[in-house]
């Protein structure tokens, strides 16, 4: 496992792994003047491979879930790997987050990594050539993911960083406040598969259009929250193109994270399945609610929903997804 570092103090320093093109550590200076790592990770490659939490990984070929691992593409049935309650999740049992990526470029402020996924990988058609570029600019990190294919396929990539603005190892993020610019979310069944149409956030714990304390949201009395033991849902983002879609704020450290993306959806995941079986980078056992993942992407199960933005990628086209994390003080 190779560790790559870009950026410099007192600005952002980003540590990346070629295993999974993973965000391993993200060091920032908080509004309180203290320097800390604000993402969750594992201390060894063995623990990354043993974990099912996807900490910081680059996710592909298909982020989120595909119902029963089945869909049709140009009228032909496709079956892909399943390992999450009978569904496909985050690229299958051996997704992009478990591969060793090739380091294509590395300088003081930029890392580009590439990966070739052969035709039939995890059941997906077409050879896909993927790349991810991480660039540090002062108070921001840009992550750009691209892919091309030799045959029609589906692609939906994201990064699965878990944030804790009080610092990795500091405990739960209950006192963080989260804002998401979404008027609708996607209700799901007990296995995380969309029930059908999106639903308004009005009058629900999913109304995050104003800052909401995460501890209150994940303990709200709502069947969707109760079934998932927190939030593990897609939010339908307003606007188009690259725009700011979410803010996470920690009053204790006077630190704010702004997320911008060009994607239509944002999967918010409140670390509901962390259960103390695996260590974080500082050696503490990771438990439920120790971070929150904000994953820009297409909607879950999109290959089975032609009415939603399409995940289909064809030869001659280039898939592209761009996200940006900006860290700033609140005082």
């Amino acid at each position: 496992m190779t560790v790559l570092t870009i950026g410099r103090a007192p600005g952002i320093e980003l540590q990346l792994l070629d295993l999974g093109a993973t965000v391993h550590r993200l060091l920032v200076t908080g509004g309180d003047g203290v320097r800390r790592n604000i993402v969750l990770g594992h201390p060894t490659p063995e623990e990354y491979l043993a974990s099912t939490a996807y900490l910081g990984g680059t996710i592909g070929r298909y982020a989120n879930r595909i119902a029963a691992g089945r869909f049709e593409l140009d009228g032909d049935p496709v079956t892909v790997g399943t390992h999450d309650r009978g569904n496909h999740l985050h690229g299958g049992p051996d997704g992009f987050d478990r591969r060793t990526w090739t380091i294509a470029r590395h300088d003081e402020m930029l890392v580009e990594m590439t990966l070739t996924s052969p035709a039939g990988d995890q059941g997906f058609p077409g050879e896909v050539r993927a790349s991810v570029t991480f660039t540090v600019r002062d108070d921001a990190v840009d992550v750009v993911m691209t892919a091309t294919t030799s045959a029609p396929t589906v692609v939906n990539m994201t990064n699965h960083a878990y944030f804790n603005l009080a610092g990795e190892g500091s405990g739960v993020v209950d006192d963080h406040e989260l804002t998401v610019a979404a008027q609708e979310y996607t209700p799901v069944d007990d296995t995380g598969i969309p029930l059908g149409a999106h639903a308004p956030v009005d009058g629900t714990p999913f109304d995050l259009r104003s800052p909401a304390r995460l501890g209150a949201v994940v303990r709200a009395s709502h069947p969707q929250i109760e079934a998932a033991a927190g939030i593990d849902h897609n939010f339908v983002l307003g606007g188009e193109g690259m725009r700011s879609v979410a803010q996470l704020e920690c009053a204790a450290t006077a630190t704010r994270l702004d997320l911008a993306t060009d994607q239509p959806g944002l999967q918010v995941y409140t670390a509901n399945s962390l259960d103390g079986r695996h260590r974080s980078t500082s050696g503490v056992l990771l438990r439920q609610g120790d971070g929150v993942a904000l994953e820009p992407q297409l909607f879950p199960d999109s290959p089975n929903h032609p009415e939603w933005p399409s995940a289909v990628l064809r030869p001659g086209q280039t898939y592209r997804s761009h996200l940006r994390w900006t860290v700033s003080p609140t005082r």
Side-chain angles (χ1 to χ4, degrees):
M1 182 174 73
T2 301
V3 181
L4 306 163
T5 301
I6 55 176
R8 63 177 72 90
I12 286 176
E13 289 179 280
L14 176 63
Q15 287 188 359
L16 301 162
L17 308 178
D18 60 346
L19 175 62
T22 294
V23 172
H24 184 52
R25 288 186 175 93
L26 181 59
L27 295 163
V28 306
T29 302
D32 58 357
V34 177
R35 194 154 180 84
R36 52 176 63 87
N37 170 30
I38 61 167
V39 298
L40 307 186
H42 296 300
T44 67
E46 292 79 12
E47 286 168 280
Y48 274 105
L49 292 172
S51 173
T52 57
Y54 305 95
L55 299 191
T58 295
I59 305 300
R61 286 186 191 188
Y62 196 90
N64 217 308
R65 295 173 176 87
I66 298 175
R70 297 188 183 120
F71 60 96
E72 284 194 0
L73 181 59
D74 296 336
D76 296 322
V78 177
T79 301
V80 295
T82 59
H83 65 303
D84 177 62
R85 297 167 291 180
N87 301 315
H88 174 90
L89 174 66
H90 289 340
D94 186 25
F96 287 4
D97 63 294
R98 304 179 65 81
R99 313 290 176 86
T100 297
W101 290 58
T102 298
I103 302 166
R105 287 189 293 164
H106 178 208
D107 60 31
E108 290 185 354
M109 308 302 280
L110 178 148
V111 169
E112 179 187 4
M113 291 185 255
T114 61
L115 179 71
T116 298
S117 172
D121 188 2
Q122 306 300 291
F124 289 99
E127 178 186 83
V128 164
R129 297 191 176 190
S131 75
V132 57
T133 302
F134 299 89
T135 307
V136 171
R137 296 185 180 91
D138 298 322
D139 62 350
V141 178
D142 280 278
V143 185
V144 176
M145 293 158 280
T146 68
T148 59
T149 183
S150 65
T153 192
V154 296
V155 173
N156 180 29
M157 296 174 65
T158 194
N159 182 273
H160 209 299
Y162 292 70
F163 295 98
N164 185 327
L165 302 184
E168 175 272 323
S170 65
V172 296
V173 295
D174 280 6
D175 287 334
H176 285 45
E177 290 190 335
L178 178 62
T179 308
V180 179
Q183 298 187 49
E184 294 182 309
Y185 79 104
T186 309
V188 295
D189 66 17
D190 288 344
T191 70
I193 296 299
L195 290 169
H198 308 305
V201 300
D202 302 78
T204 77
F206 299 95
D207 190 350
L208 304 179
R209 291 173 291 185
S210 298
R213 182 178 173 273
L214 280 173
V217 173
V218 300
R219 290 168 179 81
S221 178
H222 187 281
Q224 286 285 305
I225 297 287
E226 293 164 5
I231 304 175
D232 187 10
H233 292 78
N234 172 66
F235 286 75
V236 181
L237 300 174
E240 295 181 352
M242 194 69 179
R243 74 276 192 210
S244 175
V245 299
Q247 294 79 41
L248 183 67
E249 187 169 321
C250 175
T253 64
T255 305
R256 177 188 294 117
L257 176 84
D258 182 88
L259 170 67
T261 183
D262 58 0
Q263 295 300 290
L266 177 68
Q267 188 80 9
V268 176
Y269 177 56
T270 51
N272 312 333
S273 298
L274 295 182
D275 58 6
R277 288 185 297 167
H278 299 289
R279 298 184 300 160
S280 194
T281 44
S282 64
V284 303
L285 294 178
L286 291 164
R287 299 190 183 279
Q288 185 178 19
D290 279 355
V292 57
L294 306 171
E295 311 160 52
Q297 55 191 258
L298 299 172
F299 303 150
D301 201 28
S302 285
N304 290 308
H305 287 267
E307 71 277 17
W308 292 349
S310 177
V312 175
L313 180 68
R314 301 185 182 279
Q317 298 177 334
T318 298
Y319 166 88
R320 188 177 189 274
S321 175
H322 183 185
L323 68 86
R324 178 183 299 125
W325 303 313
T326 302
V327 181
S328 60
T330 61
R331 64 169 182 253

